[in-house]
Each structure stands twice: as structure tokens, then as C-alpha cells.
Amino acid sequence: MNLLVILVSVVFVNNFVLSRFLGICPFLGVSKKLETAVGMSIAVTFVMALASVMSWLVQTYLLVPLGIEYMQTIAFILVIAGLVQFVEMVIKKTSPTLYQALGVYLPLITTNCAVLGVAILNIQSNFNLIETLVNGVGGGLSFTLAIVLFAGVRERLETAPIPKALEGFPIAMLAASLLSIAFFAFQGLI
């Protein structure tokens, strides 16, 4: 039951993008088309889940035994950077079109604060390995939910009659704000 609470909490109540405001750069940059949003969300979910587990292992079996917990951020960034390089190579080989569409945002997963945030929150929450994995997958699903919903809204806005002053980025920011406000309705759930 605890795992379900963690999953629901991270996806809806504490959504990394819409409630904690982490990972905004790829959220705004890659959400113009639903196809690229889905591709980015799969990559982020994969990296977030693996980074959570790998960071937990590094913290538990390397940093704590050596008494160098203060190196946590640097160690986690190295883990994330390595995983992103792996994901980038896989996407480049399996889907060159998606690789081109994601462009600069794919390597930017390395500096995506949502990925680092979930790794650090796992340690701060004293999660065990299974809880860490669930929280990492849930974090990726929360990113997926936010970016896919927002991509759908942005695609719809492309054909909507919008005042000239709000076209482009201003209407995207308004839509993101309203989507974020909608997610605050989940605050009392857990």
C-alpha cells in the first residue's frame, strides 16, 4: 500500500513539473508537438528511474560508508550524465527522426533538475531501494503526464483564434499556468 501512496503522490499531488516546478526547460521546449513530447517523456522516465536506483546505490554503498555524503550532488550528476549519454546513443540508433526532433533537449536531461531532484528526494525521504524505484518511475510518469497534457493543449492552441498579443510563448505560459493550477486540486488527496 505504501508503494501505491508514493506513486499517486509523486504523479498527482507532488507532480515534479506542475507542483514542484522542476524540469520546466524541456517542458516548455519540447511540448510543441505531441510526438516529441512522448519521446522526451519516455527518455526522461527511463533516466529518472535508473538514476534513482543508481543514485541510491551510490549513496548507500559508496558515499555513506566512506563518510563523503557531502559529495552527493556531484556523484548524482555523474550518474545522471552517464545514463543520459547511454539514452542518447540508443535513441540515435533506434529513432534518428526522434533524435533530430529532440535536438539539444536530449543532452539537457543531464541538467534537468527534475531528474536530480528525484534522486535527492529519495535520499531525503529515507526510501529503501524498491520505494526509490517506485518514486523514480512515478517521477517520470509525472513528467510524462505534464508534458503530454501540455503538448495536447499547445497543439490545440495552434488552430485556435488567439489575440495577436498572446500568440506563441505568452499563450503557452498562460496555458501552463492554468494546467498547474488544475493540479493543485490534488493537494488534499494524500
Side-chain angles (χ1 to χ4, degrees):
M1 188 58 143
N2 188 34
L3 298 178
L4 183 60
V5 170
I6 291 171
L7 187 63
V8 169
S9 173
V10 76
V11 173
F12 296 108
V13 180
N14 297 312
N15 186 291
F16 280 101
V17 178
L18 300 173
S19 295
R20 294 183 186 246
F21 307 112
L22 298 172
I24 297 295
C25 179
F27 174 72
L28 292 173
V30 187
S31 60
K32 290 181 182 175
K33 300 267 188 245
L34 190 58
E35 182 182 336
T36 56
V38 169
M40 177 60 106
S41 64
I42 291 169
V44 168
T45 301
F46 181 75
V47 169
M48 208 176 268
L50 280 180
S52 293
V53 170
M54 296 298 293
S55 298
W56 186 89
L57 292 170
V58 166
Q59 176 78 14
T60 304
Y61 295 111
L62 184 66
L63 301 179
V64 171
L66 294 175
I68 54 172
E69 294 91 346
Y70 59 88
M71 297 292 290
Q72 180 184 71
T73 303
I74 293 170
F76 291 2
I77 289 173
L78 289 173
V79 167
I80 293 166
L83 289 170
V84 169
Q85 290 299 311
F86 173 72
V87 168
E88 189 174 3
M89 288 187 303
V90 169
I91 290 176
K92 189 174 185 178
K93 288 287 186 192
T94 60
S95 180
T97 308
L98 178 60
Y99 179 77
Q100 290 295 326
L102 292 176
V104 70
Y105 292 100
L106 189 57
L108 283 178
I109 294 174
T110 302
T111 58
N112 185 340
C113 55
V115 178
L116 181 60
V118 75
I120 291 173
L121 286 170
N122 287 331
I123 302 303
Q124 289 177 348
S125 300
N126 292 319
F127 287 153
N128 64 34
L129 184 59
I130 301 300
E131 292 169 336
T132 294
L133 177 61
V134 169
N135 196 49
V137 170
L141 293 175
S142 78
F143 182 84
T144 300
L145 179 63
I147 198 169
V148 167
L149 284 174
F150 191 53
V153 169
R154 286 184 81 175
E155 281 188 357
R156 171 66 178 95
L157 287 173
E158 289 293 319
T159 60
I162 297 170
K164 186 78 171 156
L166 294 177
E167 286 181 359
F169 196 66
I171 195 68
M173 292 301 290
L174 285 171
S177 301
L178 292 173
L179 191 58
S180 179
I181 289 170
F183 267 73
F184 275 103
F186 292 115
Q187 288 298 310
L189 188 63
I190 293 179

